[in-house]
Amino acid sequence: MRARFEELAWAQTPIGEVSLRRRREPVTGTEVHEVKLGEEFLMSSMFTVAEEELARLALARLGGRDLRVVVGGLGLGYTARAVLEDDRVAELVVVDALEPVIAWHQQGLVPLGPVLTADPRCHLVHGDFFAMSAAGGFDPDGTGALADAVIVDIDHSPQHLLADGSSSFYRREGTEALAGHLRPGGVYALWSNDPPDESYLDILRSVFTDVVAEVVEFPNPLQDRTATNTVYLATRQVDQR
């Protein structure tokens, strides 16, 4: 029988101590994996509905096949897995700034690690997603290939950041830079733990078309209530030529 609580791995990173924990949740009796940055929770396998909907809602906007998708933020891999469940996806690049998190997947310490690393379409890239967005893009081969979708689950919200270095990404200049890495008709999607933010929606509308904030509901058994997250969706306008 496994212990009720185990710290599976721990590492120091440039933005603080990151740890991987496995525990038995006393309320539901289920096994839970969690990633923490210091005392702050980054991801829990108890609550994955919105992370999976983030991918599905983004891909639902796209037609065609041989899709190239970029995911910013690996976490426990639920968003990445939801992308790979769409058989139209030909390539998935997952960018994460925390090298230990990538290693935990490669070592099979998290349940979805073997699923992601065994799929030849999936490439786990250690890098600063926000710096890559501001510069040359997300193509690990450096060819400048555009993405059909860029899906982001890193910060808690556009206002609640994990580190100061991402703040410019959510402003007009950073939003324009991101749009430049999408093909015309491509989709940007962002997860947020907060309710829809009108100021951020205004920035998205100034760069993209068909901008919405979808509120995703899911049960929270710990608090015996329905919880919500927000998924922002926006499409790069097709050039009229």
Side-chain angles (χ1 to χ4, degrees):
M1 180 180 294
R2 285 179 173 172
R4 292 185 178 180
F5 174 88
E6 294 178 87
E7 185 173 81
L8 301 178
W10 174 95
Q12 184 68 47
T13 76
I15 61 172
E17 299 174 356
V18 63
S19 61
L20 173 64
R21 316 184 325 165
R22 179 174 59 202
R23 64 181 178 86
R24 181 70 57 182
E25 170 52 51
V27 174
T28 63
T30 58
E31 185 175 83
V32 176
H33 284 76
E34 298 166 330
V35 177
K36 294 186 69 178
L37 179 64
E39 295 303 314
E40 196 167 12
F41 285 95
L42 294 185
M43 185 68 194
S44 169
S45 61
M46 278 198 70
F47 306 110
T48 65
V49 172
E51 284 79 2
E52 293 166 318
E53 280 300 294
L54 172 67
R56 293 172 184 143
L57 289 168
L59 295 175
R61 288 190 165 209
L62 294 169
R65 302 192 62 82
D66 296 325
L67 301 178
R68 182 172 187 271
V69 180
V70 174
V71 168
L74 175 57
L76 292 174
Y78 286 90
T79 299
R81 183 184 65 174
V83 170
L84 294 172
E85 286 174 346
D86 191 320
D87 63 9
R88 298 176 301 151
V89 173
E91 181 183 9
L92 169 62
V93 175
V94 185
V95 179
D96 201 288
L98 300 177
E99 192 168 19
V101 174
I102 294 175
W104 298 339
H105 281 265
Q106 294 169 335
Q107 295 162 7
L109 292 179
V110 296
L112 295 185
V115 175
L116 301 186
T117 57
D119 195 314
R121 298 173 295 165
C122 183
H123 308 280
L124 305 182
V125 176
H126 174 228
D128 184 334
F129 171 87
F130 300 110
M132 294 165 76
S133 182
F138 313 105
D139 181 7
D141 297 325
T143 62
L146 299 179
D148 293 285
V150 175
I151 300 169
V152 185
D153 179 7
I154 300 177
D155 290 321
H156 294 303
S157 77
Q159 303 296 332
H160 186 185
L161 313 180
L162 292 178
D164 293 339
S166 64
S167 59
S168 62
F169 175 80
Y170 302 102
R171 297 196 286 266
R172 171 69 185 263
E173 181 180 355
T175 303
E176 289 176 337
L178 169 71
H181 303 309
L182 284 166
R183 67 163 177 81
V187 174
Y188 165 56
L190 174 76
W191 174 89
S192 171
N193 192 49
D194 293 345
D197 181 338
E198 279 300 323
S199 63
Y200 186 58
L201 284 166
D202 286 342
I203 291 172
L204 292 177
R205 293 183 187 112
S206 71
V207 176
F208 291 99
T209 187
D210 194 12
V211 174
V212 298
E214 296 275 1
V215 176
V216 179
E217 297 184 345
F218 55 94
N220 183 337
L222 302 184
Q223 299 177 347
D224 193 26
R225 66 177 180 86
T226 298
T228 62
N229 289 164
T230 300
V231 173
Y232 295 94
L233 296 160
T235 297
R236 182 179 176 184
Q237 188 169 359
V238 177
D239 295 335
Q240 301 296 319
R241 294 181 180 177

